[in-house]
Amino acid sequence: MPAPSERGRVVAATKPPGTSSKPPLLGPVAYDGPRKVLAGTGMVPGHLIGRVTWKRGVDDLTDTVKVKHASGGWSTLGMKSYEQGRGSFEGTSQHVIWLDEECPIDIYGECLIRLMTTQGVLLLTFTPLEGMSETVLQFQLAADRATLGHM
C-alpha cells in the first residue's frame, strides 16, 4: 500500500459495538492469521480499506481507518463514542463529521467547532426519541423555540 497522504479527516461517532441493526460501514472484524482486519463487506469495499488502528481496551472497535478516496488519495475515518465525552472530540479540524444517533449538546457544539476552518459538513442521523432535547432545539427557528418555552 502506498504511503497515505492526508486528503481529509472524517470523524464518525458510533454506538457501542453490537448495538446497531444497520449494515456495518466497513464490514465485520475478521482475522488474517493472528492479525485482526476488517472484512470489507460493508458499505466500504475491502479493496478501499487501508491501514486500521484499533481502540485500546475495547474489543473489535476501530480507532482510525484509512480509506482510498476517489481522487486517489487517502481519507482518515476516525471513530468516537459519545460515552468518551466532549473531550475526545476536541483538537483537530475535520472535513466531515457524521453523528449517528442523537448526541449530547456539548458534543454537537464541539463538532461544529471542528468544522469551522475547513467549512466542513456535519451530518446528523437520528430519530428524536428524547423529545425536544437541546440538540433537537438547535434545528428549530428562534421564534419556534420561544413558543415551545425554550430559549
Side-chain angles (χ1 to χ4, degrees):
M1 177 172 70
S5 63
E6 288 294 319
R7 298 294 288 181
R9 291 189 52 81
V10 178
V11 172
T14 62
K15 295 180 286 184
T19 61
S20 177
S21 60
K22 299 173 188 170
L25 180 65
L26 302 164
V29 174
Y31 287 85
D32 181 11
R35 191 171 65 103
K36 193 178 344 183
V37 297
L38 292 168
T41 57
M43 292 174 58
V44 178
H47 71 279
L48 298 177
I49 298 174
R51 183 171 187 270
V52 177
T53 61
W54 300 92
K55 287 267 189 217
R56 293 184 184 176
V58 183
D59 288 342
D60 300 341
L61 183 61
T62 58
D63 186 27
T64 62
V65 179
K66 295 287 185 178
V67 177
K68 188 76 163 179
H69 190 268
S71 69
W74 292 87
S75 293
T76 301
L77 175 64
M79 301 292 189
K80 305 280 185 197
S81 170
Y82 301 151
E83 293 169 349
Q84 292 175 272
R86 182 189 58 79
S88 71
F89 289 79
E90 293 176 351
T92 59
S93 62
Q94 305 296 324
H95 292 93
V96 177
I97 298 175
W98 177 14
L99 301 172
D100 185 25
E101 300 303 336
E102 186 172 356
C103 63
I105 190 67
D106 61 335
I107 290 176
Y108 174 72
E110 188 63 38
C111 289
L112 290 176
I113 293 168
R114 299 299 116 223
L115 297 166
M116 287 174 64
T117 59
T118 64
Q119 311 225 338
V121 176
L122 177 63
L123 305 169
L124 264 82
T125 51
F126 69 94
T127 302
L129 298 175
E130 303 296 322
M132 292 303 246
S133 68
E134 289 299 313
T135 302
V136 171
L137 287 170
Q138 299 304 304
F139 298 94
Q140 300 292 320
L141 296 173
D144 292 340
R145 286 197 301 263
T147 302
L148 295 168
H150 300 279
M151 288 304 287

Short mmCIF file of all heavy atoms in Angstrom, two decimals, residues 3 17 47 50 53 60 62 73 76 81 90-91 98 100 103 106 114 127 130 134 139-140:
data_model
loop_
_atom_site.label_atom_id
_atom_site.label_comp_id
_atom_site.label_asym_id
_atom_site.label_seq_id
_atom_site.Cartn_x
_atom_site.Cartn_y
_atom_site.Cartn_z
N ALA A 3 2.18 5.05 0.72
CA ALA A 3 2.09 5.89 1.92
C ALA A 3 0.87 6.79 1.79
O ALA A 3 0.67 7.44 0.78
CB ALA A 3 3.36 6.73 2.06
N PRO A 17 -20.27 -1.32 20.09
CA PRO A 17 -20.32 -2.46 19.18
C PRO A 17 -21.50 -3.37 19.51
O PRO A 17 -21.84 -3.56 20.67
CB PRO A 17 -18.99 -3.19 19.43
CG PRO A 17 -18.11 -2.17 20.06
CD PRO A 17 -19.01 -1.21 20.79
N HIS A 47 -11.17 -3.51 -0.87
CA HIS A 47 -10.01 -3.02 -1.63
C HIS A 47 -9.76 -1.53 -1.41
O HIS A 47 -8.71 -1.01 -1.81
CB HIS A 47 -10.17 -3.35 -3.13
CG HIS A 47 -11.21 -2.54 -3.83
ND1 HIS A 47 -12.56 -2.86 -3.77
CD2 HIS A 47 -11.11 -1.43 -4.60
CE1 HIS A 47 -13.24 -1.97 -4.47
NE2 HIS A 47 -12.39 -1.10 -4.99
N GLY A 50 -7.49 0.81 3.88
CA GLY A 50 -6.05 0.79 4.10
C GLY A 50 -5.72 0.44 5.55
O GLY A 50 -6.35 -0.44 6.14
N THR A 53 -6.22 1.18 12.75
CA THR A 53 -5.76 1.14 14.14
C THR A 53 -6.98 0.82 15.00
O THR A 53 -8.11 1.15 14.66
CB THR A 53 -5.12 2.46 14.60
OG1 THR A 53 -6.08 3.51 14.52
CG2 THR A 53 -3.91 2.81 13.75
N ASP A 60 -12.60 -5.25 19.25
CA ASP A 60 -13.15 -5.13 17.89
C ASP A 60 -13.72 -3.74 17.55
O ASP A 60 -14.63 -3.64 16.74
CB ASP A 60 -14.21 -6.19 17.65
CG ASP A 60 -13.64 -7.60 17.78
OD1 ASP A 60 -12.41 -7.79 17.71
OD2 ASP A 60 -14.44 -8.52 17.97
N THR A 62 -12.68 -0.07 15.97
CA THR A 62 -11.61 0.65 15.29
C THR A 62 -11.44 2.04 15.90
O THR A 62 -12.38 2.63 16.41
CB THR A 62 -11.91 0.80 13.79
OG1 THR A 62 -13.14 1.48 13.62
CG2 THR A 62 -11.95 -0.54 13.10
N GLY A 73 -6.14 9.78 -3.37
CA GLY A 73 -5.53 9.97 -2.05
C GLY A 73 -6.22 9.12 -1.00
O GLY A 73 -7.04 8.25 -1.32
N THR A 76 -8.96 9.73 6.24
CA THR A 76 -8.88 9.07 7.54
C THR A 76 -10.26 9.09 8.19
O THR A 76 -10.84 10.16 8.37
CB THR A 76 -7.88 9.78 8.47
OG1 THR A 76 -6.60 9.78 7.84
CG2 THR A 76 -7.78 9.08 9.81
N SER A 81 -17.05 7.54 20.37
CA SER A 81 -18.29 7.17 21.05
C SER A 81 -18.71 8.35 21.92
O SER A 81 -17.86 9.01 22.52
CB SER A 81 -18.05 5.93 21.91
OG SER A 81 -19.17 5.70 22.74
N GLU A 90 -12.33 16.97 20.80
CA GLU A 90 -11.55 18.20 20.71
C GLU A 90 -10.30 18.03 19.87
O GLU A 90 -9.83 16.93 19.66
CB GLU A 90 -11.12 18.65 22.11
CG GLU A 90 -12.23 19.07 23.00
CD GLU A 90 -11.75 19.40 24.40
OE1 GLU A 90 -10.57 19.14 24.73
OE2 GLU A 90 -12.57 19.90 25.18
N GLY A 91 -9.76 19.16 19.42
CA GLY A 91 -8.39 19.20 18.98
C GLY A 91 -8.06 19.32 17.52
O GLY A 91 -7.12 20.00 17.18
N TRP A 98 -19.99 12.76 10.93
CA TRP A 98 -21.29 12.10 10.87
C TRP A 98 -21.62 11.61 12.27
O TRP A 98 -20.93 10.75 12.80
CB TRP A 98 -21.25 10.95 9.88
CG TRP A 98 -22.53 10.14 9.80
CD1 TRP A 98 -23.76 10.48 10.28
CD2 TRP A 98 -22.66 8.86 9.20
NE1 TRP A 98 -24.66 9.49 10.01
CE2 TRP A 98 -24.01 8.48 9.34
CE3 TRP A 98 -21.79 8.00 8.56
CZ2 TRP A 98 -24.51 7.27 8.86
CZ3 TRP A 98 -22.27 6.81 8.07
CH2 TRP A 98 -23.62 6.46 8.22
N ASP A 100 -24.15 9.57 14.25
CA ASP A 100 -25.21 8.58 14.06
C ASP A 100 -25.88 8.36 15.41
O ASP A 100 -25.28 7.78 16.31
CB ASP A 100 -24.61 7.27 13.53
CG ASP A 100 -25.68 6.24 13.21
OD1 ASP A 100 -26.83 6.64 12.95
OD2 ASP A 100 -25.37 5.05 13.24
N CYS A 103 -26.88 13.12 19.78
CA CYS A 103 -25.72 13.33 20.65
C CYS A 103 -26.04 14.38 21.71
O CYS A 103 -26.95 15.19 21.54
CB CYS A 103 -24.51 13.79 19.83
SG CYS A 103 -24.76 15.38 19.03
N ASP A 106 -23.25 19.25 24.14
CA ASP A 106 -21.85 19.69 24.19
C ASP A 106 -21.02 19.04 23.09
O ASP A 106 -20.13 19.66 22.52
CB ASP A 106 -21.24 19.45 25.57
CG ASP A 106 -21.21 17.99 26.00
OD1 ASP A 106 -22.04 17.19 25.52
OD2 ASP A 106 -20.36 17.64 26.85
N ARG A 114 -15.05 21.97 15.22
CA ARG A 114 -14.06 21.21 14.45
C ARG A 114 -14.19 21.46 12.95
O ARG A 114 -13.26 21.24 12.19
CB ARG A 114 -14.18 19.70 14.70
CG ARG A 114 -13.97 19.24 16.11
CD ARG A 114 -12.59 19.57 16.63
NE ARG A 114 -12.71 20.50 17.74
CZ ARG A 114 -11.93 21.57 17.92
NH1 ARG A 114 -10.98 21.87 17.10
NH2 ARG A 114 -12.12 22.36 18.95
N THR A 127 -33.56 9.66 15.19
CA THR A 127 -34.96 9.91 15.49
C THR A 127 -34.97 10.54 16.87
O THR A 127 -34.34 10.01 17.79
CB THR A 127 -35.75 8.58 15.52
OG1 THR A 127 -35.60 7.95 14.25
CG2 THR A 127 -37.21 8.81 15.83
N GLU A 130 -35.76 11.40 22.48
CA GLU A 130 -35.74 12.13 23.75
C GLU A 130 -36.66 13.35 23.71
O GLU A 130 -36.64 14.17 24.62
CB GLU A 130 -34.31 12.57 24.07
CG GLU A 130 -33.31 11.43 24.15
CD GLU A 130 -33.62 10.47 25.28
OE1 GLU A 130 -34.04 10.93 26.36
OE2 GLU A 130 -33.45 9.26 25.08
N GLU A 134 -32.05 19.57 23.90
CA GLU A 134 -31.26 20.73 23.49
C GLU A 134 -30.71 20.55 22.07
O GLU A 134 -30.64 21.51 21.31
CB GLU A 134 -30.12 21.01 24.48
CG GLU A 134 -30.60 21.53 25.81
CD GLU A 134 -31.34 22.87 25.67
OE1 GLU A 134 -30.82 23.77 24.98
OE2 GLU A 134 -32.43 22.99 26.24
N PHE A 139 -32.35 22.88 15.80
CA PHE A 139 -32.90 22.85 14.44
C PHE A 139 -34.25 23.56 14.34
O PHE A 139 -34.89 23.53 13.31
CB PHE A 139 -33.00 21.40 13.95
CG PHE A 139 -31.65 20.76 13.88
CD1 PHE A 139 -31.17 20.02 14.95
CD2 PHE A 139 -30.83 20.96 12.78
CE1 PHE A 139 -29.90 19.46 14.90
CE2 PHE A 139 -29.57 20.40 12.73
CZ PHE A 139 -29.11 19.66 13.80
N GLN A 140 -34.66 24.19 15.42
CA GLN A 140 -35.90 24.96 15.44
C GLN A 140 -35.57 26.44 15.26
O GLN A 140 -34.55 26.91 15.76
CB GLN A 140 -36.62 24.76 16.78
CG GLN A 140 -37.01 23.34 17.08
CD GLN A 140 -38.09 22.84 16.15
OE1 GLN A 140 -39.03 23.55 15.82
NE2 GLN A 140 -37.96 21.60 15.69
#
